[in-house]
Amino acid sequence: GYAFVKRLQIPWRAAKKTNRVTVLSVLLFCGVNGTNAFVSHTRVPTGPHVIFICIDALRPDHLGSYGYHRDTSPFLDHLANEGVRFEYAYSQESYTMASVPSFFTSLYPVTHQVLYDEPKIDTLNPHHLTLAEILKNAGYTTAAFVYNPHLRARFGFGQGFDLYADHRGGVDPHLSAHEAYETARKLLGETLQFVRAHRGKKLFVYL
């Protein structure tokens, strides 16, 4: 596994004193912990915008920042060079359905029990506090844009998100298989539309 963290433009302490955009980008892993972190009242956030980008099933040995000889990942390599790159990062499971809830809750799969694609059984318990819920109660506007069928809202992954776009309609049947599964441009377009519509607010976005 791999993980990058990058803080852009201004230090955290200066966030209160400037209107410039600050982005905290996290790839692959972000942990939160503690049911005591929940605050019943909404506060005005003072931290940066938070963008959580999860690239499913990406091999680190095919990234330039991890020594791959081909230029396959120029943007990620730049992010790794400018931010913090972890040499070792371990997923709590080997498949999406169980590992993403661990990102959201900082719980092991054996605890959150979201293990298989069975919406009547394996759904995220609303009693588990999620990262989105923590940030929402800290005053953030929260949104998720996902195309993975294993991450649909019916499994409880929408907890804490003001908008959870899980694209239940799937890929466009009128496109070729390669084009239909090319979702980067679609995600970018939807994300930028959301950001522009909520200009002036602190945002948490999961992609």
Side-chain angles (χ1 to χ4, degrees):
Y2 69 96
F4 306 136
V5 179
K6 184 177 182 182
R7 184 180 298 161
L8 303 178
Q9 292 193 4
I10 60 174
W12 187 286
R13 294 179 181 176
K16 299 179 181 179
K17 302 179 181 180
T18 180
N19 291 324
R20 289 185 296 170
V21 175
T22 305
V23 179
L24 176 66
S25 297
V26 182
L27 282 88
L28 186 64
F29 179 81
C30 181
V32 296
N33 192 14
T35 55
N36 294 329
F38 187 85
V39 180
S40 60
H41 63 281
T42 300
R43 296 175 292 171
V44 177
T46 58
H49 299 294
V50 178
I51 301 178
F52 188 127
I53 305 174
C54 179
I55 305 178
D56 202 342
L58 178 64
R59 291 176 51 170
D61 62 342
H62 278 59
L63 298 175
S65 56
Y66 284 87
Y68 193 52
H69 63 282
R70 294 181 179 178
D71 188 24
T72 57
S73 53
F75 176 77
L76 296 183
D77 297 341
H78 175 74
L79 185 63
N81 290 333
E82 295 294 321
V84 178
R85 181 179 67 88
F86 292 88
E87 197 67 36
Y88 300 99
Y90 301 96
S91 175
Q92 297 304 323
E93 254 301 350
S94 60
Y95 57 100
T96 305
M97 189 72 185
S99 59
V100 169
S102 291
F103 297 162
F104 287 169
T105 64
S106 195
L107 298 173
Y108 289 114
V110 70
T111 302
H112 63 62
Q113 286 291 299
V114 184
L115 303 175
Y116 306 104
D117 291 336
E118 178 49 66
K120 294 182 180 179
I121 301 175
D122 295 318
T123 58
L124 187 61
N125 192 311
H127 295 295
H128 293 322
L129 187 64
T130 67
L131 173 62
E133 289 175 309
I134 292 173
L135 291 176
K136 181 178 176 64
N137 280 278
Y140 280 77
T141 299
T142 59
F145 302 93
V146 297
Y147 277 81
N148 193 319
H150 301 292
L151 300 180
R152 290 180 178 173
R154 65 179 182 176
F155 296 114
F157 294 145
Q159 290 178 208
F161 287 101
D162 297 304
L163 171 64
Y164 194 86
D166 60 3
H167 300 90
R168 289 170 289 178
V171 298
D172 189 339
H174 302 293
L175 298 175
S176 67
H178 174 75
E179 293 177 314
Y181 282 95
E182 172 49 62
T183 58
R185 291 184 180 180
K186 298 175 186 177
L187 283 173
L188 177 61
E190 291 186 17
T191 303
L192 290 178
Q193 184 179 10
F194 174 81
V195 169
R196 289 164 182 158
H198 296 84
R199 192 182 302 274
K201 298 180 180 179
K202 291 296 184 181
L203 304 177
F204 167 57
V205 179
Y206 174 86
L207 302 171

